[in-house]
Amino acid sequence: MPAPSPYDPSNPSSPDVRRRAFRLLFLCLVATGVGNSMLFAILPPLARDLEVAEVWVGAIYTLSALMFLTMSPVWGALSDRYGRRPMIVFGLSAFSVSTLVFAAGAFAGQAGWLPPLAAIVAMALARTLFGALGSATNPSAQAYVADRTLPAERTAALAGLTSAFGIGGAIGPALAAAFADRIGIVPFMVAVAVIVAFAALAVRLTLPERTPPKEQRRAINPLIQFRFAGDPRLTAFMVYGAAAWLAQAGSLQALAFYVMDRLGEDPQSGLQLAGVALTGGATAIILAQLVVIPYFKMSPRTLMIAGSVLCLVGNLELVIASSYGTIVFGFLLTSFGFGLSRSGFTGGASLAVSPAEQGRAAGLTTATAGVGFLIAPVTGLWLYQVFGPATPFRLNVALAVAAVLVAALHPRIRAAVSPVEGDDPDRPSPV
């Protein structure tokens, strides 16, 4: 006899239990968001301090993004098989360890114990550890929320969860800038690692896992999971998500360098100014996901179109920006638009598949971030270094135009308001 649907009355979670569980996951993703986003403010000044080229900063992101892209769908599928909580705990623990390794590499480089390139390699390996293992957290947490929400409320619920990472993103650069002048950035990274370790313990001890894992006979490996992205229900959302993340990742990696070079600032001042801009951008994402989306209750397609248009306008502003204020304004527009876009394609993909496929779909939507950060060192930092500071943002304009067209014209996205809540026996499996 098949297990009841997770939102079926025969398998309920009380509203209070559900709220506490979602709140705990929210706080966990805030902590990991802090640890992740602080790097965008830390690494450019650190690279200048170590006297290494911008492209080497891109190398730190590249290996991590490759592993994040490869493994996120696997962890999502494993959460379908073994449950959400074990995968969330594993991912948080791996994130904590990778942050400690990164801090050790940064300290060794600044202290002169390692040559600059060796320190960069150590930090790149630490981020690779995060990409390979820490990537278990996000798809498993998204699938946990999808298990426990009705279709009509799922896009807003997932937007609330993913906004947690954005809140961490808002806090991270500001804290990094503040602690750089006080206790130092390495002790700050150690503190973040300890906080995330406690978060893993809290999830292990208190997060309810009442929905039984689903029996899966499919083999679990990256190639099998990526074939699921070719399912006609998901492909348009995956293409759109990859374009959105590519533009966002390119902007994040280039922004601090852009502020320093466009305004003629030294690394220390650049850290402070970039930290404020990055915090403002992350705040714009939070506003989009926690205020605008729940209030207006827009469909996934509407969110995707509106978000892409705002990204288009914001990147045009960045191309022509000549002052700090115009740079910040352009980045705020692109970030707000990305907040709408991300919730749109994440919610749309979740609504397009059946309950038994939520982990796999969440893994794929999470992997689109890996696509962005894998390619962004080329589209962001390499283009920046070779063709000039405004080049990454010109490319983002083209990506935004393509995203608008996909969201407006693709028939699967046009039907994103019609969720599929059961398995269709006439629909062939893509795997």
Side-chain angles (χ1 to χ4, degrees):
M1 182 177 178
S5 170
Y7 33 77
D8 189 280
S10 63
N11 186 30
S13 289
S14 72
D16 287 343
V17 169
R18 193 176 75 157
R19 275 195 296 270
R20 284 197 296 270
F22 287 7
R23 192 176 300 125
L24 175 59
L25 291 179
F26 187 91
L27 294 174
C28 290
L29 292 186
V30 168
T32 57
V34 168
N36 189 64
S37 68
M38 68 180 178
L39 299 183
F40 299 117
I42 291 168
L43 281 175
L46 181 60
R48 295 283 166 90
D49 188 42
L50 296 175
E51 298 181 347
V52 297
E54 290 91 340
V55 70
W56 290 107
V57 175
I60 293 178
Y61 298 113
T62 299
L63 287 175
S64 171
L66 177 61
M67 297 309 299
F68 195 91
L69 166 64
T70 303
M71 294 304 297
S72 290
V74 173
W75 295 121
L78 285 171
S79 77
D80 282 337
R81 180 173 293 185
Y82 298 111
R84 315 304 185 194
R85 183 174 62 190
M87 297 300 105
I88 296 170
V89 172
F90 181 83
L92 290 171
S93 302
F95 184 95
S96 178
V97 172
S98 69
T99 303
L100 289 174
V101 176
F102 191 98
F107 178 78
Q110 288 182 318
W113 296 355
L114 287 176
L117 284 182
I120 290 291
V121 168
M123 289 184 278
L125 290 175
R127 290 293 294 174
T128 301
L129 178 64
F130 159 71
L133 306 180
S135 54
T137 302
N138 281 33
S140 303
Q142 287 182 31
Y144 186 95
V145 171
D147 286 343
R148 290 156 178 80
T149 50
L150 293 166
E153 63 187 2
R154 190 173 304 154
T155 298
L158 288 173
L161 181 70
T162 56
S163 72
F165 205 74
I167 290 175
I171 298 170
L175 290 179
F179 279 90
D181 284 334
R182 296 182 182 179
I183 67 171
I185 201 58
V186 171
F188 174 61
M189 285 190 282
V190 172
V192 170
V194 171
I195 290 170
V196 174
F198 276 110
L201 181 63
V203 170
R204 175 65 183 83
L205 296 177
T206 66
L207 187 72
E209 179 72 282
R210 295 184 178 179
T211 303
K214 302 163 181 67
E215 281 199 38
Q216 301 284 342
R217 293 187 175 87
R218 301 181 184 93
I220 293 181
N221 64 60
L223 291 178
I224 293 294
Q225 303 316 313
F226 279 114
R227 285 172 60 188
F228 190 43
D231 187 307
R233 296 170 295 166
L234 291 177
T235 303
F237 294 104
M238 297 302 103
V239 170
Y240 180 96
W245 268 113
L246 181 56
Q248 181 70 2
S251 296
L252 287 171
Q253 292 188 20
L255 186 69
F257 290 116
Y258 198 59
V259 168
M260 287 187 282
D261 293 336
R262 202 75 157 181
L263 305 179
E265 298 290 341
D266 60 63
Q268 187 59 39
S269 298
L271 171 62
Q272 306 299 322
L273 293 174
V276 172
L278 289 165
T279 299
T283 304
I285 294 176
I286 296 165
L287 179 65
Q289 294 182 319
L290 284 186
V291 179
V292 174
I293 292 173
Y295 182 80
F296 288 101
K297 295 180 172 59
M298 293 177 281
S299 70
R301 178 174 179 253
T302 301
L303 291 172
M304 292 163 74
I305 294 173
S308 298
V309 169
L310 288 173
C311 287
L312 171 63
V313 175
N315 278 288
L316 285 172
E317 177 69 17
L318 284 166
V319 168
I320 63 174
S322 58
S323 66
Y324 181 64
T326 52
I327 291 173
V328 172
F329 178 65
F331 189 65
L332 288 177
L333 283 179
T334 63
S335 298
F336 187 85
F338 177 73
L340 299 180
S341 298
R342 182 184 182 186
S343 298
F345 78 80
T346 300
S350 176
L351 291 172
V353 300
S354 67
E357 298 168 311
Q358 289 301 319
R360 301 176 77 203
L364 287 171
T365 55
T366 302
T368 58
V371 173
F373 283 100
L374 178 64
I375 304 174
V378 174
T379 59
L381 297 179
W382 184 79
L383 289 177
Y384 185 102
Q385 190 172 344
V386 174
F387 295 103
T391 310
F393 306 109
R394 293 192 180 101
L395 176 62
N396 289 350
V397 169
L399 288 169
V401 170
V404 170
L405 293 176
V406 170
L409 302 178
H410 198 282
R412 292 284 177 173
I413 295 179
R414 290 169 68 99
V417 293
S418 302
V420 177
E421 284 307 319
D423 292 316
D424 182 355
D426 298 324
R427 184 180 62 232
S429 173
V431 179

